[in-house]
Amino acid sequence: METIDTASICKALGDANRLKIVQTLSGCEKCACVILEALNISQPTLSHHMKILRDCGLVNVRKAGKWCYYSLNCDTLRAFQQFIAALDCRPVESECSGPACG
């Protein structure tokens, strides 16, 4: 499994615009202009969000001339999915018997 910075990914995904960017990139590469239209934000704001998503490894960028094309980094995304899937959310009986545990 690829080593990922889980905290950085969670922080990156903690912003509604970045979540929408990731959803927009699901399934295919997109030009920055398409992402801008989908989010209705300024180009500098998009650049800021894309830098954060690239820095945590969730997004790849491909430059073609003056255009930037973004896609999800599937290796990082799969590693993050595995991290989430490994969390145990079953109810657990408390072993605590102190007065604060009820």
Side-chain angles (χ1 to χ4, degrees):
M1 180 167 88
E2 179 180 327
T3 303
I4 59 171
D5 184 349
T6 307
S8 291
I9 292 171
C10 289
K11 185 175 178 182
L13 294 176
D15 179 88
N17 282 323
R18 290 191 286 269
L19 273 175
K20 191 166 183 182
I21 291 167
V22 169
Q23 289 173 323
T24 300
L25 293 174
S26 181
C28 63
E29 178 181 75
K30 298 254 182 359
C31 176
C33 59
V34 172
I35 300 168
L36 279 171
E37 286 180 20
L39 271 66
N40 196 27
I41 59 175
S42 69
Q43 188 278 325
T45 301
L46 177 64
S47 292
H48 169 75
H49 289 307
M50 297 314 289
K51 179 177 178 359
I52 292 169
L53 290 168
R54 285 191 330 268
D55 287 352
C56 76
L58 277 176
V59 170
N60 297 317
V61 62
R62 178 178 64 84
K63 294 185 180 189
K66 65 178 183 173
W67 302 103
C68 290
Y69 295 88
Y70 296 98
S71 61
L72 293 178
N73 181 331
C74 292
D75 292 335
T76 300
L77 189 56
R78 282 188 196 102
F80 185 66
Q81 287 173 321
Q82 289 174 352
F83 168 81
I84 296 297
L87 297 175
D88 188 354
C89 61
R90 293 175 291 156
V92 179
E93 293 292 324
S94 176
E95 293 183 16
C96 179
S97 59
C101 295

